[in-house]
Amino acid sequence: MKVDLLIQDVRVFNSYLKTFIAGNVAVLDGRFLYIGQRGTDTFEASSILAGEGRYLIPGLVDIHLHIESTMVTPETFSYGLIQNGVTTIVPEPHEMANVFGIEGIKEMIRASRECVVDMKYAIPSSVPATSMETTGGAIEIADIEDLLQNESMICMGEIMNYVDVITDPDCKTNQILNYLRNNYPDLVIEGHVPKLLDLDLHKMLYAGVDSDHTHQTVEGMEARISAGMFIEVQEKSMTPEVISYLIEHDVAEHFCFVTDDVMTDSLYNRGHLNHLVKKAIQMGMPPERAIYASTFTPARRMKMHDRGAIAPGKIADFLLVSDLEQFTIEQVYKNGKKAYDAREDYVQSPQPKQFPEHFYRSVRLEPLRESDFHVKCDVPDNRYPCRVMLVQDGSTFTEDHRGIVEVREGELCWEESPYALIAVFERYGKNGNRGYGLISGDTIKRGAVATTYSHDNHNLLVVGHNPLDMMVAANEVIKMQGGFVVVENGQVKASLHLPVGGILTEEPLEKTAKEVEQLRRAMEELGYQHYNPIMSISTHSLPVSPALKITDLGLIDVNAGKVVPLLLM
């Protein structure tokens, strides 16, 4: 029998038995035809691949991530993924949707069509994430209906505004959920439900939201699984306690590994989903369980029944791994054809101008002045208790801390306080809103940082210890039409140009990774103490991530779901 490819002498991962079985594998027309003991006596192969006893593993499947978090184009992202054995992803482009609405989503899909990695998209459901921020675009029910006609869309992206879902039956998100239940009852709906337990958690499940990818504890994870929720474990949830629970309990069908947000330098230096697989193995999880949770269960969660396993009829996406404990990937095949070989050069040739021209002109802000960082307060001169956003290493959550600040001659004397100033400027030219707050904890101790890469609204976010540095950083970002800038003593210490919507670059992965490393170091030199300072600062404006955040409307009490004042009168 003629086949395209015969792989001899491999240890094949059988997803259904969760074990490795020695044998041969035949591929025909991009799909697995046969897995067993038959070889050249049965098959006439156009190409024969010597397995040499290596492990044959399905291509890795990541069902929850945001390409924009890596700040590169789909093309560059695919280039980075395939080297790390990731052959299918389900990205949710809600960052581009917040900037450009449905057009941003469609352009991300268009830009990914020629990528080696399969990209099956999630529809951004929470754009904007809340009503307490200004965005460039919004996704309405009519847009969702439009997108559902595109075969690239396979699920509803994470429902982020969980406060409204459980407290306001008539909110926009509940209208969307009701529409989906009535018109697309089989559509997978992803969730974002940090810290919810008991009745509130069950209300989310009742609304149709049956997964969670946020930071897990054993208590929260057990509550979710016991209620029928699927768990997507990202790296920050891979604590010894969580991994032990996943190993010791019969929950293999109820979780998978996902990356969610991976910075460019981490993708370049550490890898992607393969890094989590390796980490899980090194933390004591049997390799078979770690592989199962990064191939079969994520594919099944998204109803992609044509992949995630090495079996007859499945798409022939696979890896050849030499060292299982280290998860050393030597070759990657996509649709039965070699896509990457660690022994061969793999050079990227990125294409410029992959998006419409107006995507490069999205920051509509005039240059700022030092006076824009003077905070006016219409209260009598006095010392007042105030809210302070407290940054903590180890999490993107912040605390709502209490401090004391002085008001003199109608102006907040923040420079005389122990705190830095955090400010958000609406950058879409819609209303000119600006919000001010105070910030402390594991953030910068001097200088300033400014960025339009600020989840999810991507307005201009500035944190600093003096108006001059804040002005210089902000204006450099405005001049670049988007990016990240670190300033000290009026001088730019590091910058990252993100011209596509103020959040993406078209530069090669290696170049961008080095610039991100420099950016991270510059922030750390200013005193930022965090495992990921870039992600930490960019989520200060995310009003669905506990506990105190800031948007162009002001400070947000996330748990209460409302705008709150800086000063406590």
Side-chain angles (χ1 to χ4, degrees):
M1 180 181 181
K2 291 185 178 182
V3 295
D4 298 321
L5 175 66
L6 179 64
I7 313 159
Q8 295 182 310
D9 183 26
V10 283
R11 287 175 276 189
V12 183
F13 181 69
N14 186 297
S15 301
Y16 308 100
L17 300 177
K18 300 186 184 70
T19 191
F20 286 94
I21 300 173
N24 304 319
V25 176
V27 175
L28 177 65
D29 294 333
R31 294 179 179 268
F32 296 114
L33 170 68
Y34 171 81
I35 300 93
Q37 301 306 312
R38 293 178 181 269
T40 52
D41 55 335
T42 301
F43 300 107
E44 180 184 342
S46 300
S47 178
I48 294 178
L49 175 60
E52 300 173 333
R54 290 176 291 177
Y55 300 92
L56 191 72
I57 294 167
L60 304 184
V61 179
D62 192 339
I63 62 170
H64 183 87
L65 59 82
H66 310 283
I67 296 174
E68 303 99 314
S69 293
T70 312
M71 301 184 284
V72 296
T73 62
E75 174 196 65
T76 299
F77 198 58
S78 175
Y79 166 83
L81 291 178
I82 205 70
Q83 302 173 65
N84 292 291
V86 182
T87 55
T88 299
I89 62 172
V90 183
E92 183 188 337
H94 70 224
E95 315 299 353
M96 286 295 275
N98 271 279
V99 180
F100 294 114
I102 191 172
E103 183 186 18
I105 299 171
K106 290 183 174 181
E107 287 299 328
M108 286 291 282
I109 294 172
R110 187 188 59 77
S112 65
R113 282 183 181 146
E114 302 302 318
C115 292
V116 176
V117 172
D118 285 339
M119 299 186 183
K120 307 290 187 178
Y121 279 82
I123 299 175
S125 59
S126 304
V127 180
T130 71
S131 59
M132 300 172 291
E133 58 196 309
T134 303
T135 60
I139 299 299
E140 307 296 341
I141 289 177
D143 300 316
I144 291 172
E145 180 61 42
D146 184 345
L147 291 167
L148 282 167
Q149 308 313 308
N150 189 314
E151 63 181 12
S152 294
M153 315 302 300
I154 65 168
C155 74
M156 178 58 61
E158 59 181 299
I159 301 294
M160 300 182 71
N161 195 0
Y162 57 91
V163 174
D164 278 1
V165 173
I166 62 181
T167 61
D168 183 1
D170 298 321
C171 72
K172 175 184 172 181
T173 306
N174 274 325
Q175 292 175 25
I176 291 172
L177 290 170
N178 289 333
Y179 180 83
L180 295 176
R181 276 198 301 270
N182 292 330
N183 295 278
Y184 298 92
D186 296 326
L187 186 69
V188 174
I189 301 175
E190 293 286 271
H192 172 111
V193 290
K195 298 188 176 182
L196 291 190
L197 293 170
D198 199 46
L199 179 59
D200 288 343
L201 177 64
H202 289 204
K203 284 182 177 179
M204 291 298 292
L205 280 153
Y206 184 82
V209 180
D210 63 349
S211 79
D212 183 33
H213 69 277
T214 60
H215 197 167
Q216 301 295 329
T217 63
V218 169
E219 177 195 20
M221 185 168 61
E222 188 168 51
R224 282 154 176 72
I225 292 174
S226 65
M229 186 169 271
F230 188 80
I231 305 298
E232 297 165 1
V233 179
Q234 55 177 297
E235 185 171 12
K236 65 184 179 184
S237 292
M238 294 177 68
T239 62
E241 296 79 15
V242 166
I243 294 297
S244 293
Y245 181 91
L246 296 174
I247 294 171
E248 295 166 4
H249 293 76
D250 185 17
V251 294
E253 311 306 319
H254 307 296
F255 83 95
C256 72
F257 291 116
V258 299
T259 57
D260 198 7
D261 303 299
V262 175
M263 300 305 299
T264 326
D265 56 340
S266 181
L267 173 59
Y268 183 75
N269 294 317
R270 296 198 308 168
H272 199 258
L273 190 60
N274 58 317
H275 168 69
L276 273 64
V277 175
K278 176 181 175 180
K279 183 171 182 175
I281 294 170
Q282 293 179 344
M283 292 180 73
M285 183 174 285
E288 294 83 356
R289 291 282 293 274
I291 293 166
Y292 190 77
S294 57
T295 56
F296 190 77
T297 51
R300 189 168 57 182
R301 163 69 185 168
M302 287 296 159
K303 302 181 180 180
M304 294 187 289
H305 300 297
D306 60 351
R307 67 195 70 206
I310 297 170
K314 306 296 184 185
I315 293 174
D317 295 349
F318 62 89
L319 327 176
L320 282 166
V321 172
S322 57
D323 185 324
L324 205 56
E325 294 296 321
Q326 294 298 317
F327 208 68
T328 306
I329 299 170
E330 295 194 345
Q331 291 172 306
V332 180
Y333 278 69
K334 184 78 187 73
N335 298 317
K337 296 181 180 180
K338 186 167 69 174
Y340 171 74
D341 192 319
R343 298 164 297 186
E344 300 172 359
D345 290 338
Y346 189 58
V347 181
Q348 182 187 7
S349 300
Q351 300 299 314
K353 297 294 183 181
Q354 298 175 42
F355 292 86
E357 181 58 34
H358 65 278
F359 275 47
Y360 303 88
R361 293 180 283 101
S362 66
V363 181
R364 300 189 179 101
L365 262 177
E366 293 297 318
L368 300 177
R369 298 169 294 179
E370 286 188 58
S371 60
D372 291 310
F373 301 98
H374 296 165
V375 183
K376 303 297 182 183
C377 296
D378 187 19
V379 296
D381 290 2
N382 207 338
R383 288 168 59 82
Y384 292 92
C386 62
R387 289 182 169 87
V388 180
M389 184 188 299
L390 190 67
V391 179
Q392 302 174 93
D393 190 4
S395 177
T396 54
F397 294 170
T398 57
E399 285 188 8
D400 186 348
H401 185 66
R402 294 294 177 267
I404 299 291
V405 67
E406 185 172 352
V407 174
R408 190 185 311 128
E409 296 179 358
E411 190 168 302
L412 191 74
C413 301
W414 65 269
E415 288 184 81
E416 300 173 18
S417 77
Y419 318 118
L421 182 70
I422 181 167
V424 173
F425 298 85
E426 186 272 318
R427 59 99 156 179
Y428 299 102
K430 290 187 173 183
N431 52 41
N433 284 348
R434 51 185 62 184
Y436 296 98
L438 298 173
I439 188 167
S440 186
D442 297 328
T443 185
I444 58 172
K445 304 301 184 289
R446 58 189 184 277
V449 181
T451 184
T452 48
Y453 179 73
S454 53
H455 298 295
D456 280 336
N457 46 70
H458 300 293
N459 285 306
L460 176 63
L461 173 74
V462 191
V463 175
H465 283 269
N466 66 82
L468 174 61
D469 283 349
M470 296 180 80
M471 178 192 72
V472 171
N475 286 342
E476 187 68 18
V477 170
I478 293 169
K479 179 182 176 182
M480 292 193 304
Q481 276 296 302
F484 243 112
V485 173
V486 179
V487 169
E488 184 178 17
N489 298 325
Q491 300 298 314
V492 174
K493 291 173 62 70
S495 67
L496 176 65
H497 188 196
L498 302 173
V500 184
I503 59 175
L504 298 183
T505 177
E506 293 177 322
E507 295 295 332
L509 181 65
E510 181 177 6
K511 179 177 183 293
T512 304
K514 290 178 179 178
E515 290 178 348
V516 169
E517 286 178 349
Q518 293 169 357
L519 186 66
R520 186 194 303 269
R521 282 197 300 269
M523 293 175 69
E524 291 170 346
E525 287 170 3
L526 293 185
Y528 218 117
Q529 298 175 326
H530 199 278
Y531 75 95
N532 189 342
I534 296 173
M535 184 56 62
S536 171
I537 200 168
S538 71
T539 53
H540 291 349
S541 60
L542 182 60
V544 293
S545 175
L548 184 67
K549 296 297 168 74
I550 187 170
T551 72
D552 61 301
L553 272 66
L555 291 171
I556 308 297
D557 181 332
V558 176
N559 296 325
K562 63 181 182 180
V563 180
V564 293
L566 170 58
L567 299 181
L568 297 164
M569 307 299 289

